[in-house]
Amino acid sequence: LAFTAALILLAYLIGSVPFAVVVSKLMGLQDPRSYGSKNPGATNVLRTGNKTAAALTLLGDAAKGWFAVWLAARLAPGIAPGPLAAVAVAAFLGHLYPIFLGFKGGKGVATALGVLVAIQPWLAVATAATWLIIAVFFRYSSLASLVAAFFAPVYYVFGSGLAWYAQPAMGIALAIIGVLLFYRHRANIARLVQGTESRIGGGKKK
Ligand code: NKO
């Protein structure tokens, strides 16, 4: 039990590494918490116009989600689904409430994607494809994230041949991550409803 708690804490710490802030600092860009949506995430870093920085942020934030889950499975071979699901949620929560940024973190989209890669690569591909389709058609990163977050648990349930209830822990974890993702996008949802959300590649706003 103490070992499981240590794995969960480790996942939280790994998830806490804020790549938007780290990459921006290393590349001499402004702190993403000071412009645009003020969100330390890949989308907001892209608002500087630096696509490399945005891509590195996406890569880093996704990699840490993957790494946290992978490491737990590696350190605890045969770890039960429940504890592994808790590790996945802990890594995600690290990104949302990072100890290194005074618990004010990002929205968790890229980190959730990394977690999906670790759990089931096909699920990550399907969810990322969903994000991409919405992003290409509507040009709202936030809307794409919300639609993807809604469909990830759905894909999980159907993709497991509706036998997910035999092992519900990860499905529940994905649902929790999805709900938290919506909660973290509440300002984006308000802007989408008002028609004031900024589009990908559009002019800078706010
Ligand atoms: O600045 O508030 P903003 O407009 O930046 O940003 C809103 C945006 C914040 O997210 C990001 C990360 C962007 C990542 C893009 C690729 C993600 C593709 C896969 C989505 C996976 C969703 C997983 C849900 C699991 C339940 O939203």
Side-chain angles (χ1 to χ4, degrees):
L1 182 65
F3 185 50
T4 303
L7 290 177
I8 289 170
L9 183 66
L10 185 61
Y12 166 77
L13 290 175
I14 293 169
S16 277
V17 179
F19 279 94
V21 174
V22 172
V23 167
S24 297
K25 186 156 263 180
L26 289 176
M27 295 183 68
L29 300 171
Q30 264 190 70
D31 189 310
R33 294 169 296 170
S34 68
Y35 58 80
S37 66
K38 311 266 163 90
N39 186 58
T43 302
N44 205 32
V45 170
L46 185 61
R47 293 190 178 105
T48 64
N50 193 319
K51 289 179 186 168
T52 308
L56 288 175
T57 299
L58 170 60
L59 204 70
D61 281 342
K64 75 185 182 186
W66 166 80
F67 180 66
V69 175
W70 176 86
L71 188 68
R74 183 84 196 218
L75 294 175
I79 187 173
L84 194 63
V87 162
V89 174
F92 178 77
L93 286 175
H95 183 82
L96 266 53
Y97 306 102
I99 192 161
F100 307 125
L101 294 182
F103 303 102
K104 286 186 208 289
K107 299 180 183 176
V109 182
T111 305
L113 177 65
V115 164
L116 293 184
V117 171
I119 299 169
Q120 304 245 300
W122 63 258
L123 182 59
V125 171
T127 306
T130 304
W131 187 95
L132 203 64
I133 288 165
I134 302 298
V136 165
F137 273 92
F138 295 97
R139 312 227 50 97
Y140 292 120
S141 176
S142 55
L143 182 68
S145 300
L146 291 165
V147 173
F150 174 81
F151 277 103
V154 175
Y155 294 152
Y156 184 75
V157 168
F158 285 91
S160 55
L162 288 174
W164 67 282
Y165 47 78
Q167 218 174 76
M170 203 52 87
I172 291 167
L174 292 182
I176 290 171
I177 288 172
V179 167
L180 282 168
L181 219 142
F182 267 74
Y183 171 72
R184 295 293 279 186
H185 280 81
R186 57 201 189 282
N188 299 87
I189 294 168
R191 286 195 293 269
L192 284 167
V193 170
Q194 290 160 9
T196 57
E197 180 69 311
S198 69
R199 291 183 191 262
I200 301 167
K204 297 193 178 81
K205 65 168 292 295
K206 271 211 243 173

